[in-house]
Structures are given as C-alpha cells and as structure tokens.
Amino acid sequence: IMINGKIIHMSLHTPKHLTIHIKPLTESYSWIAGQWLDFTVPKKCLPLDKQSSVAGYSFCSPTGSGEFELLVRKSRHPVSQWLFEKGQVGDQVLLGEATGDCTYDPNNQSHLVCIAGGVGITPLISMIRTAVAAAAANPTLSVTNSATLYHCVKDRSELLFTDEIPNENLFIS
C-alpha cells in the first residue's frame, strides 16, 4: 500500500546525489534509523513501459515521524531519472511503509561501527543522526559520544555528509 507524499525541498548534494525532503500526507508515517522505503512517482510521470517502476531508498533522517530526508544517486532507473530531470518542489510522490530490520535504537546500543560504500551511507547517517539526537535530548542516556564510520567511495567527489564529520576525524587516503 502506497501513501501520498509531497516533495518540499530538493538540492544537489553532489552532481550525482540529490537530497530530497518529503512530507507524507498522513500524520502517522514513521520510521526507525536504518530502515528504507519503496518510493515511486505517479504513473503519468513515467513512460508507459516504466510505469510500474519502484525504487528503494534509505532514510537519512534520524528515527522519527513526519517530514524526512532521502539521498538519491543519479542512475538510469526511471524514478531516479525523473527526480533528477523533472522532479520539483511541490510534486506528489508515492511512499511505501518504512521497512527493514537492520535498525539502531540508542536505548539498546551504545557504540556504532558503520561500514558503507557510496550511497550506502544513507541508513548509517540516519543511525548516527539518531545517536546524536538521543545524546542531546538525554545526557544521562548511555549513548557514546563517538561512532566509527568507514565510507568507501570511488573518488573524493563522491564523499557524502562530510559537513557532519568534524575535520579532525576525517581521514581520506
């Protein structure tokens, strides 16, 4: 079952990565850090032979409900192509429910070690953002103040979320 959502913000993170913010048009939409969703656009937006296309994207936002952030890598997939070439703020999109069992709960796990390749960093950023938000909201929570992130990319131009990693903790080889 897909629900309606609306694109409320779009920006290029890199030439190959698009950040989009979505507002689900239902009050009860929620997710847990590490989860992903099925995502598509109205059939009229896609070519006839691609109208059943659905893409899976991981949440970048910390555990929560309501508005959320996704990062989309440019590809030949019809949904990705539409987002990069035709998608605009205000466009309606279709969202599946949040799914996936590889999640992070700061009440049950304290230290994070994350390994990602390319755009696979998105669910891990969601987990790191969740840990940071939990520590800020409850200083007595036994959330560590550190996480280890290994992010492999083809070249420097594909490094993602470096603005959220202090320079003294960023090692590039």
Side-chain angles (χ1 to χ4, degrees):
I1 297 175
M2 302 291 266
I3 64 161
N4 292 317
K6 185 192 296 190
I7 298 174
I8 57 172
H9 176 79
M10 298 178 80
S11 63
L12 281 177
H13 196 87
T14 74
K16 295 180 182 178
H17 299 91
L18 179 66
T19 299
I20 60 174
H21 291 252
I22 306 292
K23 180 177 181 175
L25 301 182
T26 180
E27 297 291 322
S28 61
Y29 196 85
S30 63
W31 64 92
I32 300 169
Q35 289 190 309
W36 59 276
L37 74 153
D38 284 334
F39 181 99
T40 194
V41 296
K43 290 183 182 200
K44 67 181 180 183
C45 298
L46 297 173
L48 285 175
D49 63 334
K50 307 291 184 192
Q51 289 188 348
S52 62
S53 295
V54 175
Y57 298 123
S58 295
F59 295 92
C60 297
S61 300
T63 295
S65 61
E67 177 187 332
F68 59 86
E69 177 186 347
L70 300 174
L71 184 73
V72 178
R73 179 170 169 70
K74 191 173 195 172
S75 74
R76 290 190 290 196
H77 189 281
V79 175
S80 173
Q81 280 184 328
W82 182 86
L83 286 166
F84 272 85
E85 297 170 8
K86 298 179 182 173
Q88 297 179 16
V89 171
D91 284 342
Q92 186 171 322
V93 295
L94 300 169
L95 314 169
E97 66 182 39
T99 190
D101 296 326
C102 183
T103 59
Y104 171 71
D105 178 353
N107 295 305
N108 296 328
Q109 299 136 334
S110 60
H111 186 71
L112 289 172
V113 176
C114 304
I115 302 170
V119 75
I121 193 173
T122 54
L124 306 180
I125 284 296
S126 174
M127 293 177 183
I128 291 168
R129 288 174 172 176
T130 297
V132 169
N138 186 354
T140 62
L141 189 64
S142 65
V143 174
T144 183
N145 60 1
S146 68
T148 304
L149 170 64
Y150 297 95
H151 183 210
C152 303
V153 294
K154 292 178 186 176
D155 61 60
R156 288 177 165 281
S157 70
E158 293 195 21
L159 284 171
L160 301 166
F161 302 104
T162 55
D163 57 323
E164 296 184 45
I165 302 167
N167 283 336
E168 65 271 11
N169 296 336
L170 187 60
F171 172 76
I172 300 171
S173 114

